């Protein structure tokens, strides 16, 4: 996967665009695969990336491919057109990848967007969506078990968010292990290993008007009957410092862990992302 997104052309609905020098067709662009982010947020830039497997080529001619993104389940949302282009730095490609083409895009509506002619799709969510998060199992993970798999991860994270947003410590007890390791960085740093103190913190944040909305979870089995999680979510609260992008919410990420014996979160160590 390319470490840095190169030149990006952002095009909104109805925005005129210059045609690339060569327009790709499915036949002329066979062999490419979607390698972009699995989930995007409405109104936020997200990386769109395609890769072609093969031996590294020292000198690859510049490539520009016109992509049309269509939303299958959006209401009255026009397709997006944009160009993906060849990254400038070849040595940043992963082994086994001959070349990659990338762009950054802003999606205007929730739904499942697919890409023509290269294929692939992305789930787009509202920043404050209450839908369960999308769970992606890490490719290097050992297989998750039937009783502690992606669906259980989804439910556990959604259950924690619902308990947090209700502000009720009793609800929180049904989502956190009694030995939970919990910490956050903003607006005031807080850390504890006592579930009752987490309940007091959540009640305080509820009264401050905070809600959290998880949208993406990476999961991997780590043995010892546990699943390691990386939870991406949105925090919305009047007292959170405003990010540089000026949105009324902040994106955050938490290193977490699900204990499979009781399907309760054993760890949740969160920090707000730089925007």
């Amino acid at each position: 996967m390319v470490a840095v997104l190169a030149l990006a052309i952002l095009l909104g609905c109805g925005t005129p665009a210059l045609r690339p020098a060569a327009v790709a067709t499915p036949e002329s662009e066979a062999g490419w695969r979607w390698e972009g982010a699995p989930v995007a947020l409405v109104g936020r830039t997200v990386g769109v990336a395609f890769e072609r497997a093969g031996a590294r080529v020292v000198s690859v001619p510049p490539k520009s491919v016109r992509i049309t993104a269509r939303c299958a389940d959006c209401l009255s949302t026009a397709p997006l057109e944009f160009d993906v282009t060849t990254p400038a730095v070849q040595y940043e490609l992963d082994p086994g990848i001959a070349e990659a083409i990338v762009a950054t895009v802003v999606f205007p509506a929730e739904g499942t967007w697919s890409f023509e002619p290269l294929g692939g799709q992305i789930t787009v969510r509202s920043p404050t969506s209450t839908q369960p998060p999308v769970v992606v199992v890490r490719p290097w993970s050992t297989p998750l078990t039937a009783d502690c798999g992606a669906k259980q991860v989804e439910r556990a994270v959604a259950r924690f968010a619902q308990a947090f947003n209700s502000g009720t410590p009793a609800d929180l007890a049904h989502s956190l292990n009694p030995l939970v390791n919990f910490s956050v960085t903003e607006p005031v740093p807080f850390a504890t290993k006592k579930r009752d103190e987490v309940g007091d913190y959540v009640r305080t944040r509820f009264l401050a008007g905070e809600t959290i909305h998880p949208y993406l979870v990476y999961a991997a089995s780590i043995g010892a009957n546990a699943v390691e999680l990386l939870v991406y979510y949105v925090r919305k609260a009047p007292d959170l410092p405003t990010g540089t992008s000026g949105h009324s919410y902040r994106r955050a990420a938490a290193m977490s862990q699900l204990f499979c014996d009781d399907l309760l979160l054993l760890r949740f160590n969160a920090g707000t992302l730089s925007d």
Side-chain angles (χ1 to χ4, degrees):
M1 181 67 189
V2 181
V4 179
L5 292 180
L7 175 65
I9 300 176
L10 305 182
L11 298 177
C13 297
T15 303
L18 297 175
R19 304 298 292 180
V23 178
T25 66
E27 293 74 19
S28 66
E29 294 301 335
W32 291 87
R33 65 189 183 195
W34 164 250
E35 289 293 340
V39 183
L41 296 177
V42 172
R44 298 296 296 261
T45 57
V46 65
V48 170
F50 300 88
E51 294 178 349
R52 183 176 65 80
R56 183 75 52 80
V57 180
V58 176
S59 179
V60 178
K63 184 185 296 293
S64 181
V65 179
R66 173 57 51 91
I67 298 293
T68 299
R70 304 181 189 275
C71 184
D73 45 6
C74 302
L75 296 177
S76 303
T77 301
L80 289 176
E81 285 194 338
F82 56 90
D83 295 336
V84 285
T85 61
T86 305
V89 185
Q90 287 296 311
Y91 64 78
E92 291 181 344
L93 296 178
D94 289 339
I97 302 301
E99 57 180 323
I101 44 180
V102 300
T104 54
V105 181
V106 177
F107 290 94
E110 285 188 277
T112 302
W113 291 75
S114 58
F115 303 103
E116 302 170 359
L118 302 185
Q121 66 180 33
I122 188 170
T123 299
V124 180
R125 293 277 176 84
S126 161
T128 54
S129 170
T130 57
Q131 295 185 65
V134 174
V135 176
V136 178
V137 179
R138 300 284 197 184
W140 43 263
S141 171
T142 58
L144 303 186
T145 62
D147 57 352
C148 192
K151 181 57 68 175
Q152 286 77 15
V153 169
E154 171 197 300
R155 290 171 179 166
V157 173
R159 186 168 60 243
F160 169 72
Q162 291 163 4
F164 190 106
N165 295 342
S166 72
T168 307
D171 291 344
L172 202 70
H174 296 294
S175 62
L176 296 180
N177 188 282
L179 302 178
V180 68
N181 179 335
F182 183 92
S183 65
V184 294
T185 58
E186 290 187 275
V188 177
F190 172 81
T192 186
K193 292 185 178 180
K194 297 180 179 180
R195 188 168 63 183
D196 289 346
E197 291 181 357
V198 179
D200 294 339
Y201 171 82
V202 167
R203 182 64 180 170
T204 299
R205 296 308 301 155
F206 173 78
L207 294 175
E210 179 169 355
T211 56
I212 65 173
H213 307 274
Y215 59 91
L216 173 61
V217 179
Y218 288 100
S221 174
I222 57 172
N225 212 23
V227 178
E228 192 78 18
L229 309 176
L230 175 58
V231 181
Y232 287 96
Y233 65 104
V234 165
R235 300 181 66 185
K236 189 173 179 64
D239 61 347
L240 281 174
T242 303
T244 56
S245 57
H247 292 280
S248 60
Y249 58 86
R250 293 294 301 276
R251 293 183 305 120
M255 293 301 299
S256 187
Q257 195 176 106
L258 181 68
F259 191 51
C260 291
D261 282 352
D262 54 15
L263 297 178
L264 301 180
L265 296 180
L266 185 62
R267 183 159 63 96
F268 195 84
N269 304 123
T272 306
L273 299 176
S274 299
D275 286 321

